[in-house]
Amino acid sequence: FWPRQPVILEHEHYGSSVRKEAWGDGSLLLKAVEEYHAGFLSIHWWPREFQQANREIIDKINLRLGYRLQLVEAAWPSEVDIDSRLYLASKWRNAGVAPCLPGGFPSVTLKDGDGGIVGVFVDDAFDVRSLPVGEPGKAKIIDQEANFALSRNLRGDWRPGIREPGTYTLFISIGTKTGTPGIALPLPENDGNRRYRLGTLKVTSGKTKSLSQ
């Protein structure tokens, strides 16, 4: 039932297992995480003692336990006309053993020079729950394309000073269909709200086709 429900693993008490010479090198615990597609793992022993004795296997489990959403690549126009559409091409994978059961949708946020949000664009056709899982290092990468109407947000009357062309900072996030971020990503430059800076977008009155990556 792992494709539909989260799996919680609970192992024998570590000390008892070691005394019975059943623990070995701990690799069976990693094997269980893989084969059961575990979303959670309960540790049965004094945490620090367990960690010190099993650091290597814990590091391996941490790279696989649950879901691990990764943005492999993203591309968008370096410049775009304010009355046209913003095109985003992205590649995603789930490097964990379990599907992202909560789900979520990629969202592009544009911010002005003062850090204010001027536009939020959600790719509500792509739920990251659909990302397949695979063996370590072999998760399938999914290509995704989306385009968003800029003027509906950038030229709206709900906030003054955003109706003119300019250079905006582009952030990516995963969250709700209304653009609220919800899932942390392994990316640098977090704005503190699980939005991650990818680069900039110049909004002009002349059309261009050059891409940023």
Side-chain angles (χ1 to χ4, degrees):
F1 52 80
W2 64 266
R4 302 180 304 278
Q5 299 292 336
V7 175
I8 303 173
L9 288 186
E10 179 178 322
H11 62 76
E12 180 186 19
H13 280 67
Y14 171 68
S16 303
S17 186
V18 170
R19 285 195 297 271
K20 293 187 295 185
E21 298 183 352
W23 186 261
D25 61 359
S27 59
L28 285 177
L29 185 59
L30 176 59
K31 183 179 179 182
V33 168
E34 294 284 347
E35 294 187 352
Y36 285 94
H37 298 273
F40 301 90
L41 177 63
S42 175
I43 298 300
H44 280 251
W45 202 245
W46 307 112
R48 191 168 299 281
E49 180 180 336
F50 182 86
Q51 180 194 48
Q52 291 173 347
N54 296 277
R55 181 74 267 181
E56 183 177 351
I57 202 71
I58 290 173
D59 288 343
K60 292 179 180 179
I61 289 173
N62 283 341
L63 293 175
R64 294 289 287 163
L65 186 68
Y67 58 86
R68 297 182 62 81
L69 304 181
Q70 296 178 343
L71 175 62
V72 179
E73 183 179 310
W76 65 96
S78 58
E79 297 183 13
V80 64
D81 182 79
I82 196 169
D83 290 319
S84 65
R85 303 181 70 86
L86 170 60
Y87 170 80
L88 177 72
S90 56
K91 298 178 183 290
W92 296 88
R93 71 179 162 210
N94 179 0
V97 298
C100 181
L101 296 177
F105 305 88
S107 177
V108 170
T109 298
L110 297 180
K111 294 187 180 184
D112 60 22
D114 296 323
I117 294 176
V118 299
V120 178
F121 311 91
V122 181
D123 183 6
D124 58 7
F126 177 48
D127 190 339
V128 295
R129 181 171 180 163
S130 65
L131 287 170
V133 300
E135 297 178 6
K138 297 182 180 179
K140 183 178 180 181
I141 296 175
I142 301 300
D143 294 322
Q144 180 65 14
E145 296 182 358
N147 64 84
F148 314 99
L150 281 175
S151 59
R152 190 177 305 163
N153 290 301
L154 290 178
R155 301 189 74 177
D157 294 329
W158 55 274
R159 178 178 172 178
I162 61 173
R163 288 174 287 180
E164 296 298 324
T167 299
Y168 300 93
T169 306
L170 188 147
F171 292 78
I172 193 76
S173 61
I174 297 289
T176 68
K177 284 189 174 183
T178 56
T180 301
I183 298 177
L185 297 174
L187 294 172
E189 299 192 69
N190 182 357
D191 74 345
N193 292 291
R194 295 183 174 178
R195 300 183 187 93
Y196 302 86
R197 182 186 183 279
L198 295 185
T200 59
L201 173 70
K202 185 177 182 180
V203 179
T204 70
S205 58
K207 300 185 182 299
T208 180
K209 296 182 180 180
S210 58
L211 291 179
S212 293
Q213 293 191 13

